[in-house]
Amino acid sequence: MAEIFADSLYDALVDSLKVVPILFIAYLLVALLSHDHSHKLNSFLSKNKKTSVFYASFLGCVPQCGFSSVMADLYSRKHVSLGTLIAVFIATSDEAIPIMLTDTTRILDLLLLIAIKIVLAIVWGYVIDLIINLSTKKKHASISKEKVKTEDKHEHHEEHCHEHHENHIEHLHECGHIHTEECGHSCGDHCANNIFFDAVIHTFNIAVYIFIAAFALNLIISCIDMQVVSNFLNTNIYLQIILASLVGLIPNCASSVLLVELFFVNILSFPALVAGLTSGAGVGLIILWTKNRHKPLQNLGIMFLQYAIGVLSGFFLTIFYH
């Protein structure tokens, strides 16, 4: 047991250290973009869903899970839409891409995997944002009609103006600071001078989360008989897809490594591999639960949606793989 504990501790440390460079680069990139005065770049990181979903689908393809973590953080601060978050989660493959690159016979499978995940990310991202926008418009239309009929129309108007005034006074910037009228900071040189420091702090905090989660998960995985798991997965393709999607939800690189290794030995089918890597978002889910901890039901809904997309995508691919 002591050996398992030591190995789990060592592997967790290695996992957390491996993700630090990509996390730092990703956070530094986001910090640089957020201080760019270009309307296009600012819109991409905050409110412009037309571009954020598209770019997120490609950013998620970067090996490891740095961008999924960054987007989870930005989503919790309402800087990106739900569709953008889901898009980067779908596109994320964590350690799968580097591992598949080590086998030259799997290059075509890798290219197909990346292409499929990008398409799925773009389609699902835009569909989700479209549904949310339509439901929001209907809700606003219903509220507007109700206001016309009520006798306290003036009171509602004052509340709306007060809320708008508060949003104008206190707002979140991409730099991560909350600025109010009483705050001495501005979005000028102070934020710009702290881009590097903010990226370091974000990276350190997330690396700690990764280490804790990886250590706990490594202990659990060490107690599982992999031969039993392999035999169970080999029963039928639909069961593979359902279970692979569950494995993908594990917020650790071990899940993507396991899925690829099972695919390499022909225990896991390609649709099941896609399903598992589609539902997986690396440690992005940990960051979501950490940064968005005050909305547990919303986080559960996102996890369920991610899992459902993985299963549906895998089932669809069975049309082409028998």
Side-chain angles (χ1 to χ4, degrees):
M1 186 65 186
E3 184 179 351
I4 293 177
F5 184 88
D7 289 341
S8 299
L9 188 64
Y10 174 78
D11 290 341
L13 181 61
V14 171
D15 287 343
S16 58
L17 290 177
K18 283 169 60 179
V19 80
V20 165
I22 188 66
L23 273 177
F24 176 74
I25 293 173
Y27 271 115
L28 188 60
L29 177 61
V30 169
L32 288 171
L33 291 177
S34 67
H35 287 83
D36 190 295
H37 296 290
S38 167
H39 175 71
K40 181 178 180 180
L41 292 178
N42 267 333
S43 297
F44 160 64
L45 288 175
S46 55
K47 298 179 180 180
N48 196 333
K49 300 177 180 65
K50 292 182 179 180
T51 56
S52 61
V53 169
F54 180 80
Y55 286 118
S57 301
F58 285 90
L59 288 174
C61 292
V62 176
Q64 298 187 336
C65 49
F67 281 106
S68 70
S69 300
V70 172
M71 287 299 176
D73 187 7
L74 293 178
Y75 174 77
S76 69
R77 292 187 275 146
K78 304 184 184 302
H79 289 178
V80 296
S81 66
L82 178 60
T84 301
L85 177 69
I86 294 298
V88 78
F89 275 11
I90 290 174
T92 298
S93 298
D94 211 352
E95 300 289 348
I97 293 178
I99 294 175
M100 293 186 73
L101 282 173
T102 62
D103 188 346
T104 55
T105 64
R106 301 290 184 175
I107 298 300
L108 290 179
D109 289 329
L110 173 60
L111 295 176
L112 183 59
L113 171 70
I114 294 174
I116 290 174
K117 282 167 68 67
I118 288 176
V119 172
L120 289 174
I122 293 174
V123 171
W124 281 106
Y126 279 119
V127 167
I128 290 170
D129 276 350
L130 177 61
I131 293 173
I132 292 176
N133 289 337
L134 291 176
S135 63
T136 301
K137 287 181 180 178
K138 289 182 179 180
K139 184 178 179 180
H140 287 170
S142 177
I143 293 175
S144 298
K145 290 180 181 179
E146 191 67 26
K147 283 183 178 180
V148 173
K149 296 178 181 179
T150 55
E151 296 179 355
D152 57 343
K153 179 179 179 182
H154 181 67
E155 181 181 351
H156 281 288
H157 178 70
E158 288 182 342
E159 292 177 355
H160 176 74
C161 291
H162 179 67
E163 179 181 357
H164 178 75
H165 179 66
E166 288 184 341
N167 289 337
H168 179 72
I169 294 175
E170 177 172 318
H171 53 283
L172 277 171
H173 291 271
E174 284 75 12
C175 58
H177 297 292
I178 298 178
H179 300 272
T180 65
E181 287 182 336
E182 299 178 354
C183 179
H185 300 304
S186 66
C187 282
D189 294 336
H190 177 81
C191 293
N193 292 335
N194 283 279
I195 289 176
F196 182 85
F197 180 74
D198 287 344
V200 171
I201 294 299
H202 275 93
T203 302
F204 175 78
N205 289 337
I206 292 175
V208 171
Y209 300 144
I210 294 172
F211 173 76
I212 295 173
F215 177 60
L217 288 169
N218 287 338
L219 282 176
I220 296 173
I221 293 172
S222 298
C223 299
I224 297 176
D225 188 340
M226 291 306 301
Q227 187 59 46
V228 173
V229 174
S230 298
N231 293 336
F232 190 59
L233 286 173
N234 203 29
T235 55
N236 68 74
I237 189 171
Y238 297 107
L239 183 61
Q240 284 183 33
I241 291 170
I242 293 172
L243 294 177
S245 297
L246 282 175
V247 172
L249 286 178
I250 299 175
N252 182 263
C253 63
S255 60
S256 60
V257 172
L258 175 62
L259 291 170
V260 173
E261 291 299 330
L262 292 176
F263 174 69
F264 276 179
V265 295
N266 298 318
I267 292 177
L268 207 62
S269 64
F270 185 76
L273 175 67
V274 173
L277 295 178
T278 296
S279 66
V283 297
L285 287 175
I286 295 179
I287 307 308
L288 178 67
W289 277 94
T290 302
K291 301 292 185 178
N292 204 39
R293 58 184 176 276
H294 300 301
K295 298 179 180 179
L297 292 180
Q298 185 181 88
N299 297 337
L300 284 173
I302 291 173
M303 286 185 65
F304 177 79
L305 179 60
Q306 192 73 13
Y307 174 74
I309 290 174
V311 172
L312 291 174
S313 301
F315 282 179
F316 176 76
L317 288 177
T318 59
I319 298 174
F320 310 98
Y321 291 84
H322 302 285

